[in-house]
């Protein structure tokens, strides 16, 4: 008997759908074991998590609140990952975007007509995210500097910078020492749909569809997929590899930037602590579990948002750490990665 | 002179965790495996080290626990990347995501009931610095001899690691696997075994670096106690050009930045703390850019040629 793996000519469609589902199940089992070991009832915990995330209209809108930034950062990360540009800087791109949107909302309101304030803040956020992602993109294409570390280091820089602003010069003098800026004028508030869920939801969904069209149906998308498979082959075909990588990474940063701009204009209405709470990292899981498919991303983002909201609820209801949601998210990736072998290879068992 | 000695002493203390992690990652990468899970492994090392010390009262057990936890997490990475041929970048990222989530979970679960199940804010046994009589009073180099046992162990470990890598058969095999696994395989080296062992041993060392933080440098558990050190180490491996003998310089550089930060903050500088705290991260980017630029001049800084690639026997 000889067991070996054979590379598939094309990715297995069944495996593309089955592997994420099986990974979710595996994650539930593995986290269940951890729960039992730490003296908690896994079934009661999962029930409480589910109720916490979907049990009421309010719970569902709170899940949506987290699903919006996860969709946008997930889309952002996936665009870059398609090119094997490992942008793990969505957190920083989101944060600088929050800063930029806050700058417009706080300081330009006397100079802009009221209707223009919100669009200006959101566009500034997207641009700031693009610029922040542009730094590692240029270092990579110009000097071949590894992007993984640069994108990650810039997260710390962005977060420290935003903290400096809202603890320091931008701090609300009437805020009773609360670390945050003054509230934005209402003209800069993103309209809400239900509960705290805001209009960013429609933008996120539209962008998922747009991105899918862009990647699957346009010449540019086709060029990007060639670059992702083999930059060398792309170069032979006369594709401007470096320029396309920079453009795609700018798009990636802008998407994460939108997430940050929506967070400050839609949720907190000021720049304050709690803008960077790990969306940019969860985005990596969202992107990978969606197999980098933009149409799958909103659904996976909703699932991950449910784990986060459910985790918070479990903390209140059962005294378990909220970090449980993060443990489950981390657990999903291991079986996903192991399973990706089966999307690319098939198991061959032959008599020797 | 006093000032230089004391800054150097802090730099060495701050750099010790970085050296352990750098040595660990050098071994792993020398076998062709890039492990971006260091941040998660260091966090889990810090957590398991502190929790074990707190409950057992034994620092030795704490270090063993950290080694075991690091080895276990690295074993997951080895399984996913070597056996399952998963993408090394994404597998490493998942180790970091899982490790930081799990460490945070355990930090809010493993503590005593009196502290609301939390480990934050507790104090446990720690590894105290021991001055070497006579030597510790010397100017400047005295800083080398006012350290804790983990630092002293490094003085022996670094030359040993170098000797193992460059002067033994095992070290040669390890380097061969990282450079050109096909040829190593043809020479009769068990490529999979070498990759597994290097990844697991490397992970254990990385976790030891994490434990040094919670047991000695900043005793106690706090969330995000590593503050990105696991990522900085990835850059330090490049800075060391994958050579254990050079692992100290990067760690001293970053330890030195920490020490200067301390000094400036203590002296009441007008530079906002936020900007000072950015220094290590900006320096990491600077190191990367400088090393990449240098590589473009001299062609090669020593990255294992097979780094990051999955090895498949069938494709011989």
């Amino acid at each position: 008997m000889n067991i070996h793996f054979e590379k598939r000519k094309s990715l297995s469609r069944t495996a593309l759908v089955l592997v994420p589902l099986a990974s979710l199940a595996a994650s539930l089992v593995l986290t269940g074991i951890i729960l039992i070991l730490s003296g908690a009832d896994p079934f009661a915990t999962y029930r409480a998590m589910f109720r916490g995330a979907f049990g009421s209209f309010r719970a569902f809108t709170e899940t949506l609140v987290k699903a919006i930034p996860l969709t946008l950062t997930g889309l952002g990360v996936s665009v870059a990952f398609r090119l094997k540009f490992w942008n793990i800087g969505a957190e920083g791109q989101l944060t600088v975007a929050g800063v930029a949107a806050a700058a417009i909302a706080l300081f330009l309101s006397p100079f802009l007509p009221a209707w223009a304030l919100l669009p200006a803040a959101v566009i500034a956020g997207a641009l700031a995210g693009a610029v922040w992602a542009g730094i590692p993109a240029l270092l990579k294409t110009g000097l071949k500097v590894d992007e993984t570390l640069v994108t990650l280091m810039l997260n710390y820089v962005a977060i420290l910078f935003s903290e400096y602003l809202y603890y320091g010069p931008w701090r609300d003098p009437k805020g009773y020492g609360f670390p945050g800026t003054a509230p934005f004028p209402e003209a800069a508030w993103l309209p809400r749909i239900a509960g705290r869920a805001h209009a960013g939801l429609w933008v996120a969904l539209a962008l998922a569809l747009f991105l899918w069209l862009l990647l699957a149906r346009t010449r540019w998308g086709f060029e990007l997929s060639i670059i992702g498979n083999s930059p060398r082959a792309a170069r032979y075909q006369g594709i401007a590899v470096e320029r396309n990588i920079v453009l795609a990474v700018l798009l990636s940063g802008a998407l994460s930037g939108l997430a940050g701009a929506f967070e400050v204009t839609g949720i907190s209405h000021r720049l304050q602590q709690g803008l960077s709470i790990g969306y940019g990292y969860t985005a990596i899981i969202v992107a990978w579990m969606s197999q980098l498919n933009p149409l799958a991303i909103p659904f996976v983002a909703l699932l991950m948002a449910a784990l986060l909201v459910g985790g918070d609820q479990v903390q209140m209801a059962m005294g378990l750490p909220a970090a449980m949601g993060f443990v489950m998210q981390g657990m999903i990736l291991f079986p996903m990665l192991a399973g990706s072998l089966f999307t690319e290879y098939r198991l061959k068992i032959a008599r020797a | 002179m006093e000032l230089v000695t004391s800054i150097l002493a802090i730099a060495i203390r701050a750099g010790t965790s970085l050296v352990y992690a750098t040595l660990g990652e050098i071994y792993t990468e020398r076998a062709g495996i890039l492990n971006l899970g260091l941040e998660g492994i260091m966090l889990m090392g810090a957590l398991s080290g502190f929790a074990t010390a707190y409950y057992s009262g034994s620092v030795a057990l704490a270090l063993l626990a950290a080694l075991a936890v690091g080895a276990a997490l690295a074993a997951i990475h080895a399984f996913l990347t070597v056996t399952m041929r998963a993408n090394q970048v994404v597998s490493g990222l998942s180790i970091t995501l899982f490790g930081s989530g799990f460490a945070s979970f355990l930090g809010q679960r493993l503590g005593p009931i009196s502290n609301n199940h939390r480990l934050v804010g507790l104090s446990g046994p720690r590894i105290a610095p021991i001055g070497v009589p006579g030597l510790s009073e010397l100017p400047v180099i005295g800083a080398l001899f006012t350290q804790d046992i983990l630092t002293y162990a490094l003085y022996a470990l670094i030359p040993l690691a170098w000797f193992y890598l460059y002067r033994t058969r095992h070290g040669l095999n390890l380097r061969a696997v990282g450079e050109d696994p096909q040829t190593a395989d043809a020479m009769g080296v068990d490529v999979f075994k070498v990759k597994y062992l290097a990844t697991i041993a490397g992970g254990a060392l990385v976790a030891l670096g994490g434990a040094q933080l919670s047991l000695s440098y900043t005793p106690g558990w706090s969330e995000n106690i590593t503050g990105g050190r696991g990522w900085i180490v990835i850059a330090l491996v490049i800075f060391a050009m994958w050579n254990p003998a050079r692992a100290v310089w990067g760690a001293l550089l970053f330890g030195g930045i920490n020490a200067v930060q301390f000094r400036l903050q203590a002296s009441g500088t007008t530079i906002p703390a936020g900007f000072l705290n950015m220094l290590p991260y900006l320096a990491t980017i600077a190191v990367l850019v400088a090393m990449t630029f240098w590589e473009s001049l001299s062609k090669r800084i020593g990255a294992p040629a097979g780094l990051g690639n999955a090895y498949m026997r069938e494709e011989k």
Side-chain angles (χ1 to χ4, degrees):
Chain A
M1 284 272 280
N2 176 19
I3 302 171
H4 70 280
F5 287 102
E6 193 180 75
K7 193 144 186 153
R8 291 176 192 271
K9 293 216 171 56
S10 61
L11 299 181
S12 156
R13 285 190 176 266
T14 336
L16 273 176
V17 179
L18 270 183
V19 167
L21 290 178
S23 304
L24 179 63
S27 159
L28 287 172
V29 173
L30 292 171
T31 314
I33 295 172
I34 292 178
L35 285 171
I36 294 171
L37 289 178
S38 68
D41 174 359
F43 295 104
T45 309
Y46 291 154
R47 262 202 307 278
M49 279 186 89
F50 186 81
R51 259 203 312 276
F54 298 112
S56 65
F57 185 68
R58 208 194 87 84
F60 180 62
T61 56
E62 280 306 299
T63 304
L64 283 181
V65 163
K66 287 191 164 31
I68 298 166
L70 285 178
T71 302
L72 288 166
T73 49
L75 290 171
V77 166
S78 69
V79 173
F81 275 23
R82 272 172 173 259
L83 291 167
K84 300 206 168 66
F85 184 99
W86 306 110
N87 174 11
I88 48 177
E91 191 77 359
Q93 290 142 25
L94 177 151
T95 304
V96 289
V99 169
I104 303 282
L106 289 171
F107 305 118
L108 282 193
S109 61
F111 311 105
L112 284 177
W115 62 265
L117 194 60
L118 178 65
V122 169
I123 291 169
L127 286 177
V131 167
W132 209 243
I135 300 168
L138 289 176
L139 284 175
K140 165 93 171 184
T141 52
L143 289 168
K144 297 199 170 62
V145 179
D146 180 66
E147 75 282 8
T148 330
L149 283 168
V150 179
T151 50
L152 190 99
M153 290 297 132
L154 287 175
N155 289 346
Y156 290 100
V157 176
I159 291 166
L160 286 166
F161 182 59
S162 75
E163 282 175 355
Y164 159 73
L165 289 174
Y166 61 70
Y167 274 104
W170 287 12
R171 188 172 187 150
D172 183 7
K174 286 176 276 184
Y176 305 103
F178 178 76
T181 66
F184 300 162
E186 273 188 50
W189 291 14
L190 192 64
R192 292 204 169 153
I193 311 168
R196 295 200 305 156
H198 50 78
L201 178 67
W202 308 132
V203 181
L205 290 175
L207 280 172
L209 187 63
F210 168 78
L211 209 63
W212 177 76
L213 286 171
L214 186 73
L215 292 173
R217 292 284 180 271
T218 69
R219 183 169 171 80
W220 191 57
F222 181 62
E223 288 187 1
L224 290 190
S225 70
I226 297 175
I227 298 172
N229 280 330
S230 160
R232 264 193 39 211
R235 223 165 261 129
Y236 279 127
Q237 295 178 37
I239 296 170
V241 174
E242 275 73 25
R243 203 193 58 178
N244 277 325
I245 289 181
V246 172
L247 285 176
V249 175
L250 289 177
L251 176 62
S252 165
L255 286 163
S256 295
L258 268 184
F262 287 162
E263 282 302 289
V264 293
T265 58
I267 302 290
S268 56
H269 302 149
R270 62 174 90 214
L271 181 67
Q272 63 178 17
Q273 190 128 50
L275 173 62
S276 323
I277 51 167
Y279 289 136
Y281 299 108
T282 302
I284 297 166
I285 307 178
V286 171
W288 205 253
M289 221 190 146
S290 316
Q291 318 255 16
L292 310 183
N293 178 347
L295 290 183
I297 281 174
F299 299 100
V300 178
L302 187 71
L303 176 69
M304 292 298 137
L307 292 182
L308 292 178
V309 175
D312 287 342
Q313 293 302 312
V314 160
Q315 180 169 36
M316 282 183 244
M318 313 184 61
L320 280 171
M324 239 225 16
F326 288 109
V327 175
M328 291 187 72
Q329 288 184 347
M331 282 284 195
I332 288 182
L333 273 178
F334 295 142
M336 263 306 286
L337 282 162
S340 60
L341 185 66
F342 297 102
T343 49
E344 281 175 51
Y345 295 87
R346 93 178 74 220
L347 198 60
K348 270 264 180 185
I349 303 173
R351 295 251 161 115
Chain B
M1 220 31 121
E2 287 275 301
L3 184 71
V4 176
T5 315
S6 88
I7 287 188
L8 185 63
I10 302 175
I12 295 172
R13 264 167 71 72
T16 296
S17 65
L18 295 173
V19 179
Y20 274 103
T22 307
L23 287 178
E25 181 69 4
I26 286 177
Y27 266 81
T28 307
E29 293 195 14
R30 276 292 186 169
I33 302 283
L34 175 69
N35 187 355
L36 294 184
L38 301 197
E39 181 77 359
I41 295 179
M42 281 184 96
L43 275 166
M44 284 298 291
L47 180 111
S48 51
F50 176 72
T52 312
Y54 179 78
Y55 285 110
S56 73
S58 157
V59 166
L61 266 183
L63 296 178
L64 281 178
L67 284 169
V69 165
L73 279 171
I76 300 178
H77 185 62
F79 173 73
L80 289 175
T81 57
V82 178
T83 307
M84 302 310 277
R85 295 167 204 168
N87 182 301
Q88 293 184 8
V89 173
V90 187
S91 171
L93 285 175
S94 19
I95 300 276
T96 285
L97 290 170
F98 170 72
S100 18
F102 199 35
S104 156
F105 175 85
L106 291 176
Q108 298 172 48
R109 190 71 188 162
L110 283 185
I113 300 169
S114 58
N115 198 38
N116 202 10
H117 296 291
R118 285 166 185 272
L119 286 175
V120 180
L122 300 175
S123 64
R126 58 180 71 171
I127 306 174
I130 314 163
V132 178
L135 291 173
S136 58
E137 276 113 59
L138 293 171
V140 187
I141 57 162
L144 285 165
F145 301 103
T146 53
Q147 303 293 335
D148 66 34
I149 185 88
L150 283 174
T151 311
Y152 293 134
L154 278 180
Y155 300 163
L157 194 59
I158 293 167
L160 271 179
W162 177 87
F163 184 83
Y164 177 84
L165 200 56
Y166 291 104
R167 291 290 180 271
T168 68
R169 182 84 211 165
H170 279 115
L172 177 68
N173 288 349
L174 179 70
R175 285 183 290 134
V177 164
E179 290 296 334
D180 184 352
Q182 269 82 4
T183 310
D185 196 353
M187 279 158 44
V189 179
D190 187 340
V191 174
F192 283 20
K193 192 174 128 195
V194 168
K195 280 179 183 270
Y196 260 92
L197 286 178
T199 309
I200 291 171
L205 276 179
V206 169
L208 202 57
Q212 193 264 352
L213 294 173
S214 64
L215 294 173
S216 171
Y217 182 58
T218 48
W221 167 251
S222 58
E223 286 211 11
N224 203 17
I225 185 174
T226 49
R229 280 184 180 78
W231 294 104
I232 290 172
V233 163
I234 310 272
L236 292 188
V237 171
I238 302 171
F239 192 61
M241 301 185 186
W242 292 268
N243 182 343
R246 296 203 195 97
V248 278
W249 302 117
L252 270 183
L253 172 70
F254 279 81
I257 291 175
N258 276 332
V260 170
Q261 254 170 279
F262 269 139
R263 276 277 156 191
L264 282 173
Q265 253 151 20
S267 71
T269 167
T270 50
I271 308 169
F275 288 107
L276 284 179
N277 293 340
M278 282 179 200
L279 279 177
Y281 311 114
L282 292 173
T284 306
I285 297 177
V287 160
L288 272 177
V289 172
M291 291 308 287
T292 315
F293 184 66
W294 193 14
E295 186 181 26
S296 73
L297 293 180
S298 66
K299 295 295 177 224
R300 207 180 142 101
I301 59 169
L307 185 62
N309 302 329
Y311 175 59
M312 284 161 225
R313 252 198 126 155
E314 289 87 342
E315 292 178 8
K316 247 196 297 199

